[in-house]
Amino acid sequence: MTLVVVDAVGLTPRALKHMPRTSKLGQDGFAASLDPIVPAVTCSVQASFVTGSTPAEHGIVANGWYFRDLGEVFLWRQHNKLVQGEKVWETARRARADFRVANVCWWYAMGASTDLTVTPRPIYHADGAKSPDCYTFPPQLHDNLVKPLGEFPLFQYWGPTANIKSTKWIADATKIVLDNERLDMALVYLPHLDYDHQRFGPESPEALNAARELDEVLGDLIDHCRARGDQIVVLSEYGITEARRPVEINRALRRAGYLNVYTQAGMEYLDPWTSRAFCVSDHQIGHVYVADPADVPAVRELLEGLDGVGEVLSGESLAAAGLNHERSGELVVLAERDAWFTYHYWLDNDRAPDFGRQVEIHRKPGYDPAELFWDPDDEKGAKIRGAKALVRKKAGFRYVLSVVGLDASKYVKGTHGLLPPGDEDGPVFLCSEGAHARDRVAATEVRDLLLDLAGVREGVRAE
């Protein structure tokens, strides 16, 4: 018997109304509200799930941050060592040394001490081309999945063409892993609700259809697990709420003389080395790094005056939020409920870096939800450029997928990062095992509840 833990990102009671097969899991076992952390973003919440701690302890203060020792902003790093503290499966092994775990697309999978790993990993060719693929451990697992399922659908995992195909691939891969390995726990990440809930808002017809699509795939996975006699948990990291206005925080810092850029080939790049202050934006949270402590009061005053900024944290308020870690900015901004932060730092779109118009999650110094859209200023042209790029890719030539827009006010109808406004729009915890029922589960309590479900927590306590 395996404890299968499915992270169905964006799953809320509002979405579950359109997901009868998934809802049945909670009806047969139990359903609880899940209380997330700040920031309610993927990497931070997942780290809290597996360590039972806050960002102040595990260090994942957002989906990315300013690496002070490197002088670079990085989002979506993959190495598990970035997550500080003991992980749930490592804790379980203190009670049972042969406890076996698979990670199927949860974040920070690379270098993790799990027994099996599957995670998206493009092939970065020497000529600059990028091809879809996945990383697996052990290596032979790659062909065991790709032969029956095809290559990992990277372009349906993120970007303008993201859709249910990637979630179905992950669910089908999970079935293969479960049926061919002895496992005590499997962690599975299904991203589908992230897409149209951000594109169109959580109550749009497109979002409701996405919930129905996920229900078919997730319902099949639940049925597969229950037929095997597995325990199953379905939880989510956050709920997506309506977004109406972007906050151009880095442009405000630049106009005030705090943020510097440097120019190459007519394109402007953020210069973190000489900037007095800049923001690493991530949905509804922004880490503002201030080089000189003497500038902090003035930067705070500027931030508090921006339309769309709800709160500025530092010192005691940063500690109270569980974010007082060395990776956090000197100031942390939280958006108002209907606002979100852009990463844009250039003042003229003609000076934007070329990666600004591309799906380029590792080069942008902040999260960019515009990557989910064809450029709304030139949607037809963007699709034509995308089709030409695909032809070049299939012919073996280098290609540039320049299809993303730069005007943040014309898209993005859903966002997240704050604590939810109420349970209806908050994350959920569904479980097949009614004996463990409760009304609420905090993100930092998930680890111990999983240990209880796996039957190893008493052994950990005894040691």
Side-chain angles (χ1 to χ4, degrees):
M1 181 178 69
T2 303
L3 172 58
V4 182
V5 185
V6 179
D7 181 354
V9 60
L11 185 64
T12 63
R14 189 180 300 279
L16 279 170
K17 294 175 183 177
H18 307 276
M19 301 176 65
R21 297 178 67 187
T22 304
S23 296
K24 190 174 186 301
L25 177 68
Q27 295 161 5
D28 293 345
F30 76 91
S33 298
L34 194 150
D35 297 318
I37 57 162
V38 174
V41 297
T42 291
C43 293
S44 300
V45 181
Q46 282 192 7
S48 289
F49 286 162
V50 300
T51 65
S53 60
T54 67
E57 299 163 292
H58 59 60
I60 307 304
V61 298
N63 291 319
W65 55 87
Y66 179 51
F67 286 66
R68 300 174 196 267
D69 52 344
L70 299 175
E72 299 280 359
V73 175
F74 291 119
L75 275 76
W76 307 110
R77 298 294 93 182
Q78 295 191 6
H79 202 285
N80 194 260
K81 291 293 186 183
L82 290 171
V83 185
Q84 299 167 350
E86 187 176 73
K87 319 310 189 292
V88 60
W89 59 88
E90 295 167 343
T91 306
R93 287 174 186 156
R94 290 200 277 113
R96 200 164 76 219
D98 65 346
F99 195 88
R100 300 192 79 241
V101 183
N103 179 338
V104 187
C105 296
W106 276 47
W107 208 256
Y108 296 115
M110 307 293 286
S113 56
T114 50
D115 298 276
L116 291 95
T117 300
V118 183
T119 194
R121 185 71 171 180
I123 303 169
Y124 294 98
H125 297 277
D127 65 355
K130 181 170 69 175
S131 299
D133 204 0
C134 60
Y135 166 92
T136 71
F137 179 83
Q140 59 267 29
L141 179 59
H142 178 277
D143 288 351
N144 293 342
L145 297 178
V146 171
K147 283 182 180 178
L149 301 179
E151 67 181 16
F152 181 82
L154 184 72
F155 299 121
Q156 286 73 49
Y157 184 74
W158 187 249
T161 55
N163 61 35
I164 193 65
K165 184 177 179 180
S166 57
T167 287
K168 187 175 188 310
W169 192 100
I170 294 168
D172 289 343
T174 300
K175 296 173 192 174
I176 292 172
V177 170
L178 289 171
D179 290 347
N180 289 277
E181 299 285 344
R182 186 198 71 77
L183 293 170
D184 297 290
M185 181 183 291
L187 304 173
V188 185
Y189 177 70
L190 302 183
H192 186 58
L193 293 187
D194 231 13
Y195 307 145
D196 282 353
H197 285 221
Q198 287 192 69
R199 286 171 176 142
F200 305 108
E203 296 189 77
S204 65
E206 294 88 349
L208 303 186
N209 185 63
R212 288 187 282 266
E213 288 180 322
L214 176 63
D215 195 43
E216 288 304 305
V217 173
L218 180 50
D220 286 348
L221 179 58
I222 291 171
D223 289 349
H224 186 88
C225 292
R226 300 198 78 174
R228 288 170 31 90
D230 294 329
Q231 299 174 314
I232 184 162
V233 166
V234 175
L235 48 67
S236 51
E237 305 151 4
Y238 49 76
I240 293 174
T241 55
E242 296 287 342
R244 296 179 178 85
R245 50 185 172 145
V247 182
E248 304 280 9
I249 192 166
N250 274 324
R251 286 174 171 163
L253 289 168
R254 182 173 177 185
R255 290 188 180 104
Y258 291 107
L259 184 150
N260 290 340
V261 300
Y262 64 93
T263 303
Q264 291 180 316
M267 297 179 289
E268 294 181 343
Y269 298 89
L270 174 67
D271 189 350
W273 310 294
T274 67
S275 292
R276 292 163 60 195
F278 63 92
C279 180
V280 179
S281 299
D282 191 357
H283 297 87
Q284 292 181 301
I285 186 173
H287 286 271
V288 180
Y289 296 89
V290 186
D292 186 345
D295 282 334
V296 168
V299 174
R300 170 187 277 278
E301 183 178 4
L302 182 152
L303 298 173
E304 290 175 337
L306 291 180
D307 182 45
V309 171
E311 192 173 359
V312 181
L313 306 178
S314 64
E316 292 183 1
S317 60
L318 198 62
L323 277 165
N324 54 326
H325 191 278
E326 63 182 2
R327 292 171 178 166
S328 290
E330 281 68 33
L331 299 169
V332 172
V333 289
L334 302 179
E336 293 185 341
R337 176 62 59 188
D338 65 342
W340 58 278
F341 299 119
T342 76
Y343 81 95
H344 300 159
Y345 55 82
W346 56 89
L347 303 180
D348 180 345
N349 282 346
D350 289 338
R351 307 284 282 176
D354 54 3
F355 61 68
R357 296 187 180 275
Q358 299 172 25
V359 178
E360 190 56 84
I361 65 171
H362 296 304
R363 294 186 65 191
K364 294 178 180 179
Y367 173 71
D368 186 10
E371 293 184 347
L372 286 169
F373 300 82
W374 300 103
D375 183 354
D377 285 329
D378 184 22
E379 184 171 344
K380 182 177 179 180
K383 289 181 176 180
I384 291 172
R385 292 194 299 275
K388 288 180 177 179
L390 182 60
V391 170
R392 291 184 62 83
K393 172 185 174 295
K394 289 184 175 180
F397 295 106
R398 294 180 67 174
Y399 64 95
V400 175
L401 198 62
S402 183
V403 298
V404 175
L406 299 176
D407 185 349
S409 66
K410 295 184 177 179
Y411 38 74
V412 186
K413 302 302 181 184
T415 189
H416 60 91
L418 302 178
L419 296 179
D423 289 346
E424 183 78 357
D425 294 300
V428 298
F429 187 101
L430 310 179
C431 180
S432 60
E433 309 306 308
H436 294 266
R438 60 202 66 188
D439 293 329
R440 309 195 74 84
V441 178
T444 52
E445 296 172 338
V446 167
R447 166 190 172 273
D448 284 349
L449 183 48
L450 296 182
L451 292 172
D452 284 339
L453 287 163
V456 295
R457 192 175 177 201
E458 291 301 321
V460 173
R461 285 172 175 163
E463 293 186 11

